Amino acid sequence: MTVIMDGKKLAQEVKAELKQRVEELWTSKQIVPRLAVILVGEDPASQVYVRNKRRAAEKIGIKTVDNLLPATVSEADLLDLIYEYNEDPNIHGILVQLPLPAHIDEAKVTHAILPSKDVDGFHPVNMGHLFMNMPHSLPCTPRGIMELLAAYGISPAGKEVVIVGRSNIVGRPMVALMLNADATVTVAHSKTKDLRAVTKRADILVVATGRPEMITSADIKPGAVVIDVGVNRLADGHLVGDVQRQTVEGVASYLTPVPGGVGPMTIAMLMKQTVEFAEKSEQDGY
C-alpha cells in the first residue's frame, strides 16, 4: 500500500498553529505581521497564486499590503518600491511574484530585497546561509517538503536521496536541506545519462521538472518515498504532477498527490516565515 501524503491537511494544521502565534504576538507586543506583495502584470497563474496567498494570510491574521503594478512599470520604479519596504519597520516580509516582464532583471530584484525580509528565501545571502547549514530564510517549497517528511516520520538521515531538477527555487536548495539532514544526495537533470538508473537508486525521490508524468513506476525503487513537486495542466484541463500517479501508486511507500501535496505546504511555509520574521523583528528591536 502506498501512503498518500496529505499536504493539505498538514498545511491547515500549520496555519492553525500560526494563527495562535499571531494572536499571541498581538497580545504580548501589539505587533501584526505584515507581508508586502508585489505583482507585476496580469499573468493569470501569478494572479491565482497571489490570491491564494492573500486568503491564507487573512485567515491567519497576517496583514498583506498588495501592490498590483502594470506590466509596463520600470525596473527603477519597482526597485524603489522594494527599497521603501526595506526601510519600513512595519513590513516584516517582502514577496515579489515571479515571473517578471522581460525588461526587468529578476536577479536584480531578488538581490534588492533585504535578506531579513526575504520570505521567499531566494536572496544569495540566504542561499549561502542555507548551504552553510546556518539558515535564516528558506525557499518555501523545499522547506514544506522537509516538514511533510517530518510529519510522516520519514528521516532523510543515511538515505540515498535523488533530486530531479536543479532550479534555484526547488532543486538546488533541496540539495542543501537534504545534506543538512544527513542524506546522501544526487542531483539529476536534463543532461543526466541513464536517468532511470539514477532514480531507481533513490530511497527518497524528489521530482521538480515541470514535465507532466515523466516519472513512472519503471523509474522508482519499490518502497521509495516519492515527492512530486510538479503542477502541470493538461489540454483537457486536468492537473497532473511530474510523476505518473496511477503507475507509481502501489510501488512507492509514500507519494505526494497533485494537487493537495506539496503545493499547500509551500503557501503554509510562506506564512510561517512571515510570522517568524515578525517575531524576530521585535527581538531585534524594530
Side-chain angles (χ1 to χ4, degrees), residues 178-200:
M178 287 296 186
L179 286 174
N180 295 346
D182 299 320
T184 300
V185 184
T186 299
V187 182
H189 44 76
S190 60
K191 305 299 183 189
T192 299
K193 295 180 179 178
D194 198 355
L195 177 63
R196 178 168 292 171
V198 176
T199 58
K200 283 181 75 72

Side-chain angles (χ1 to χ4, degrees), residues 161-235:
V161 175
V162 174
I163 300 164
V164 186
R166 51 180 168 174
S167 73
N168 290 335
I169 296 173
V170 180
R172 294 174 194 266
M174 196 81 251
V175 170
L177 282 167
M178 287 296 186
L179 286 174
N180 295 346
D182 299 320
T184 300
V185 184
T186 299
V187 182
H189 44 76
S190 60
K191 305 299 183 189
T192 299
K193 295 180 179 178
D194 198 355
L195 177 63
R196 178 168 292 171
V198 176
T199 58
K200 283 181 75 72
R201 299 201 314 258
D203 300 309
I204 300 174
L205 179 64
V206 181
V207 189
T209 66
R211 294 177 58 190
E213 299 184 322
M214 67 169 289
I215 297 295
T216 70
S217 59
D219 300 305
I220 69 167
K221 177 170 67 175
V225 176
V226 180
I227 306 296
D228 188 353
V229 184
V231 180
N232 310 283
R233 189 173 296 279
L234 300 180

Side-chain angles (χ1 to χ4, degrees), residues 10-277:
L10 179 58
Q12 289 171 342
E13 293 172 1
V14 169
K15 288 185 281 190
E17 187 254 340
L18 290 176
K19 190 174 189 295
Q20 290 185 333
R21 285 167 63 176
V22 168
E23 291 169 355
E24 290 167 6
L25 194 56
W26 173 252
T27 301
S28 61
K29 306 293 182 182
Q30 284 71 60
I31 292 175
V32 176
R34 286 181 171 84
L35 173 65
V37 180
I38 301 173
L39 173 61
V40 180
E42 299 181 355
D43 178 72
S46 292
Q47 289 178 331
V48 170
Y49 292 144
V50 168
R51 185 165 61 247
N52 289 343
K53 291 167 185 174
R54 186 188 306 121
R55 287 173 179 168
E58 288 173 353
K59 290 178 180 178
I60 293 167
I62 296 171
K63 171 71 175 175
T64 60
V65 181
D66 297 320
N67 299 266
L68 306 179
L69 306 179
T72 54
V73 69
S74 70
E75 181 178 274
D77 285 346
L78 175 56
L79 291 173
D80 284 344
L81 181 59
I82 292 171
Y83 297 145
E84 180 182 327
Y85 286 136
N86 281 345
E87 297 299 321
D88 187 343
N90 294 313
I91 296 296
H92 304 105
I94 302 171
L95 167 70
V96 179
Q97 183 65 42
L98 302 179
L100 293 168
H103 69 281
I104 297 176
D105 185 339
E106 287 189 2
K108 191 180 292 186
V109 170
T110 300
H111 295 189
I113 299 171
L114 205 63
S116 60
K117 296 189 178 188
D118 170 32
V119 288
D120 265 332
F122 296 154
H123 194 286
V125 167
N126 287 327
M127 283 287 195
H129 283 155
L130 171 58
F131 273 88
M132 293 175 68
N133 201 10
M134 301 167 57
H136 168 72
S137 174
L138 301 175
C140 296
T141 297
R143 183 176 184 179
I145 291 169
M146 297 304 286
E147 293 217 5
L148 197 53
L149 290 172
Y152 280 85
I154 301 166
S155 171
K159 295 193 173 71
E160 183 150 8
V161 175
V162 174
I163 300 164
V164 186
R166 51 180 168 174
S167 73
N168 290 335
I169 296 173
V170 180
R172 294 174 194 266
M174 196 81 251
V175 170
L177 282 167
M178 287 296 186
L179 286 174
N180 295 346
D182 299 320
T184 300
V185 184
T186 299
V187 182
H189 44 76
S190 60
K191 305 299 183 189
T192 299
K193 295 180 179 178
D194 198 355
L195 177 63
R196 178 168 292 171
V198 176
T199 58
K200 283 181 75 72
R201 299 201 314 258
D203 300 309
I204 300 174
L205 179 64
V206 181
V207 189
T209 66
R211 294 177 58 190
E213 299 184 322
M214 67 169 289
I215 297 295
T216 70
S217 59
D219 300 305
I220 69 167
K221 177 170 67 175
V225 176
V226 180
I227 306 296
D228 188 353
V229 184
V231 180
N232 310 283
R233 189 173 296 279
L234 300 180
D236 63 4
H238 283 88
L239 287 178
V240 298
D242 294 349
V243 175
Q244 192 178 74
R245 177 173 174 174
Q246 62 267 34
T247 64
V248 169
E249 194 168 348
V251 180
S253 58
Y254 293 84
L255 174 66
T256 58
V258 177
V262 174
M265 290 301 296
T266 298
I267 293 179
M269 293 303 101
L270 177 70
M271 299 299 113
K272 188 169 188 174
Q273 293 196 148
T274 302
V275 173
E276 289 172 346
F277 284 8

